[in-house]
Amino acid sequence: MVSNFEFLKKDFPVLANFGELAEKYCYSDSNSCLMKLGMIGETIVNLMFTYDRIVFPQDNTAVARIDTLVREGLLTRDLATILHGLRKVRNKAVHENYSSVTDSKNFLPMAYGLCEWFMQTYGDLGYTHKDFVMPEKSTMVVPIDKIAEERKEAELAKQAEENAANAPKVAQEERKKQAYKVANQRYKTEAETRYLVDEQLRMVGWEADTENIRYSKGVRPTKGRKLAIAEYPTNSTVGNRGYADYALFIGEKLVGIIEAKAIHKDIPSVIDYQGKDYPKCIREEDEKYVIGKWGEYKVPFTFATNGRPYLEQYKTKSGIWFLDLRKPDNSPMALHGWMSPDGMEELLAADVDSGNKELKEMPYDLLTDKDGLNLRPYQLNAIKAAEEAVISGKQTALLAMATGTGKTRTVLGMIYRFLKTERFRRILFLVDRTALGEQAQDVFEEVKMEDLLTLDDIYNIKGLEDKTIDKETRIHISTVQGIPPIEEQERIIKQLSSLLSSLYGIEQNITM
């Protein structure tokens, strides 16, 4: 059988060699296979630095190098996740003598897809995708000369670095454009999608592992655990023999169903088909986990994804699509990240109808008080228009106001009403430069709202200088530049997602 990695021999023989060896070792020596796959990832990262003349980070670790390339705009989040996965499994193979044929078979096609992306970005831009063919198990014993193997690897790696250093420099914007174009069109198998989903779910607080946390291995809902149980059986007759890709449990409460599909699938149609059918078809023995019934549905939330980050230009084939099944008039919507268990519980506890009712009934006289905000009629009209958009279920609202017309005070009044009526629990006030954030903070701290108290007196507000995440924070002011760097995000993303996912409504991007 010809190696899947044969296409790399002309432009990147070092990668072709690692790939061919990984295939050869897949069944007979999975420890070596995982090490070779890890070397594919490490080699690609190092060559990217050389091709694009990027300075290595001061903390020159594998993690820092990958995160630097993400910051440079050369790697998408899903590619970075695969590179981190290859890095971790290689470390495990090297330091713990870990071996797993299952992991070898899972990572081989992912490494192949990564190599195709690299070829189309740094090598032959006209290369076209070819399907990966899993190597067949062979009983033939092939003699191995490890010393000669390592010598060849070192020679090929040196040659690759020299070629990259001597290659004509490509403009950064041109390279970024090509890298993202190829990444966003990259073919993903359902297995890769599930791997990416596992990683994403773990980052926001779910226990997720498609290979081990699955129904067929005896995993069941357990008090005190937040489980994403893979291949969960239902009575549905559609899809994968009635097995949902994941069932989400908070303790012994069934709160969500996830369908993970290949990248070419239209995600909203998956919601309308399997995403709606599985929640109707919960088995009798699982009724003890059902927390309520909403018409035919026995699960409140359903999700579908193909692992691709949300892109407006690929709207129906990217992102995480979510549907709240508790109301028949709810429509599927795209999310930019997974809901955390805490955020999901807050959403379950939220009373949107009550908040909308309070918003409709709350008078506006406090906003026109001459000793307080003293808003003008046009500012009140802007607030009313935004509130009407929220009440009607719209996910975005844009207020266009000229310089000097009081945008910050308008937003202050809007924020006060949203929090006072508990229509939203938290607000992220995001600006594009520090001066605007400081201006907003001054207004929040100075203008009297109720009982001679400022917004800062009434609610817990965190300003530009405060980067910590606090569940009790009601308003957080930040600049776009203040969003934490990539290498810090993994540490805090679970905490941040818990806060932001509960803003499922205020992800409605009321922008100025």
Side-chain angles (χ1 to χ4, degrees):
M1 173 184 165
V2 176
S3 169
N4 288 284
F5 296 85
E6 180 78 17
F7 74 96
L8 294 161
K9 275 197 169 175
K10 177 176 176 291
D11 294 284
F12 305 109
V14 62
L15 298 178
N17 182 60
F18 282 134
E20 189 173 344
L21 288 172
E23 289 174 322
K24 184 172 77 171
Y25 289 135
C26 180
Y27 300 99
S28 62
D29 183 1
S30 61
N31 174 267
S32 292
C33 173
L34 295 172
M35 284 195 271
K36 302 305 177 189
L37 292 175
M39 287 304 299
I40 286 176
E42 182 175 309
T43 302
I44 285 175
V45 167
N46 290 339
L47 288 176
M48 288 173 70
F49 273 88
T50 307
Y51 271 109
D52 292 315
R53 282 53 164 182
I54 299 170
V55 178
F56 282 102
Q58 188 171 0
D59 175 23
N60 193 18
T61 62
V63 174
R65 288 196 291 272
I66 294 170
D67 289 344
T68 297
L69 294 175
V70 174
R71 278 202 310 278
E72 291 286 333
L74 294 166
L75 286 176
T76 56
R77 175 51 64 188
D78 61 324
L79 289 172
T81 298
I82 291 171
L83 284 165
H84 281 305
L86 292 171
R87 172 185 62 80
K88 290 174 185 175
V89 80
R90 179 187 176 226
N91 286 343
K92 201 173 176 183
V94 171
H95 301 297
E96 302 174 25
N97 201 31
Y98 175 74
S99 62
S100 166
V101 172
T102 299
D103 273 353
S104 295
K105 291 173 73 174
N106 284 339
F107 278 109
L108 259 172
M110 283 191 264
Y112 173 77
L114 182 67
C115 287
E116 285 199 315
W117 169 84
F118 187 70
M119 170 64 90
Q120 291 173 305
T121 305
Y122 288 85
D124 179 3
L125 274 58
Y127 169 83
T128 55
H129 163 75
K130 298 176 182 63
D131 289 342
F132 178 84
V133 179
M134 188 62 68
E136 295 178 2
K137 190 171 183 177
S138 173
T139 56
M140 187 183 300
V141 178
V142 181
I144 299 168
D145 184 343
K146 288 286 187 180
I147 295 175
E149 185 180 287
E150 290 173 6
R151 187 185 304 120
K152 181 180 179 181
E153 289 170 357
E155 289 171 358
L156 290 173
K158 181 180 178 183
Q159 176 193 332
E161 280 293 334
E162 289 174 356
N163 291 344
N166 294 325
K169 189 173 187 316
V170 174
Q172 187 179 24
E173 285 307 311
E174 186 180 333
R175 182 82 82 192
K176 283 166 60 175
K177 184 178 178 181
Q178 179 68 8
Y180 265 74
K181 174 187 167 187
V182 176
N184 292 325
Q185 295 173 350
R186 191 173 68 85
Y187 180 82
K188 291 192 189 86
T189 63
E190 288 195 27
E192 180 181 333
T193 299
R194 282 202 204 111
Y195 173 78
L196 294 171
V197 172
D198 278 354
E199 287 289 312
Q200 293 161 4
L201 288 171
R202 282 194 287 267
M203 289 178 74
V204 298
W206 297 99
E207 292 183 57
D209 181 345
T210 303
E211 290 300 321
N212 298 302
I213 302 178
R214 56 193 301 130
Y215 188 88
S216 61
K217 291 198 172 182
V219 180
R220 299 293 184 270
T222 307
K223 287 181 180 178
R225 298 182 71 184
K226 295 158 184 178
L227 294 169
I229 302 179
E231 299 297 324
Y232 204 89
T234 72
N235 288 330
S236 174
T237 57
V238 305
N240 180 25
R241 298 170 289 110
Y243 287 85
D245 286 333
Y246 301 85
L248 300 177
F249 292 89
I250 299 176
E252 296 180 331
K253 298 184 294 185
L254 175 56
V255 295
I257 294 290
I258 297 175
E259 272 301 292
K261 292 298 180 187
I263 199 161
H264 58 279
K265 295 288 180 68
D266 186 87
I267 309 174
S269 67
V270 174
I271 285 268
D272 284 334
Y273 185 48
Q274 290 157 285
K276 284 185 175 179
D277 198 63
Y278 292 145
K280 296 176 186 175
C281 300
I282 302 304
R283 303 176 307 160
E284 186 177 344
E285 55 262 50
D286 293 323
E287 289 280 346
K288 58 182 175 288
Y289 305 127
V290 172
I291 61 173
K293 294 184 180 179
W294 303 271
E296 298 178 275
Y297 302 115
K298 299 177 182 179
V299 183
F301 307 131
T302 187
F303 303 82
T305 186
N306 58 13
R308 173 191 266 177
Y310 180 75
L311 295 163
E312 186 64 30
Q313 61 268 42
Y314 301 111
K315 188 172 183 178
T316 62
K317 289 183 169 61
S318 67
I320 298 159
W321 283 76
F322 162 72
L323 178 60
D324 186 337
L325 296 167
R326 295 175 298 171
K327 282 190 174 182
D329 56 348
N330 283 341
S331 298
M333 60 180 287
L335 303 178
H336 293 269
W338 290 102
M339 286 189 187
S340 69
D342 288 348
M344 203 172 284
E345 286 195 295
E346 288 189 7
L347 182 54
L348 283 167
D351 190 340
V352 173
D353 288 339
S354 175
N356 284 340
K357 183 173 179 291
E358 290 283 329
L359 207 52
K360 286 179 181 178
E361 295 176 353
M362 184 179 181
Y364 292 90
D365 52 354
L366 196 65
L367 304 189
T368 57
D369 188 334
K370 288 183 168 45
D371 295 322
L373 267 179
N374 192 24
L375 295 185
R376 306 287 180 84
Y378 67 87
Q379 292 170 307
L380 284 182
N381 288 338
I383 292 173
K384 289 175 182 177
E387 289 178 357
E388 286 170 11
V390 167
I391 291 169
S392 67
K394 291 184 179 177
Q395 301 306 311
T396 58
L398 173 67
L399 303 182
M401 298 172 66
T403 301
T405 54
K407 293 187 290 293
T408 304
R409 295 172 81 89
T410 302
V411 170
L412 188 155
M414 190 189 306
I415 289 174
Y416 170 76
R417 288 176 58 82
F418 283 149
L419 294 177
K420 184 69 175 177
T421 58
E422 297 190 356
R423 179 58 181 83
F424 298 117
R425 289 179 52 80
R426 302 181 186 90
I427 307 285
L428 173 63
F429 191 95
L430 194 63
V431 295
D432 63 356
R433 54 189 186 275
T434 301
L436 293 178
E438 291 172 345
Q439 175 186 323
Q441 196 164 341
D442 289 343
V443 173
F444 293 170
E445 291 174 354
E446 293 170 5
V447 177
K448 308 296 182 186
M449 295 300 299
E450 63 175 68
D451 299 327
L452 299 179
L453 298 175
T454 65
L455 197 67
D456 188 52
D457 294 326
I458 303 168
Y459 299 113
N460 185 346
I461 300 178
K462 291 208 170 180
L464 295 171
E465 72 288 345
D466 201 334
K467 308 296 184 187
T468 58
I469 306 298
D470 184 349
K471 196 169 184 177
E472 300 308 312
T473 299
R474 304 301 296 278
I475 304 166
H476 203 133
I477 303 169
S478 179
T479 60
V480 175
Q481 296 83 357
I483 299 298
I486 296 297
E487 62 266 25
E488 293 179 28
Q489 287 184 11
E490 191 163 327
R491 178 176 58 81
I492 69 167
I493 196 166
K494 174 180 173 181
Q495 194 179 9
L496 181 62
S497 295
S498 175
L499 298 180
L500 294 186
S501 62
S502 65
L503 300 184
Y504 141 66
I506 206 60
E507 262 182 65
Q508 304 185 36
N509 299 332
I510 297 172
T511 55
M512 300 297 290

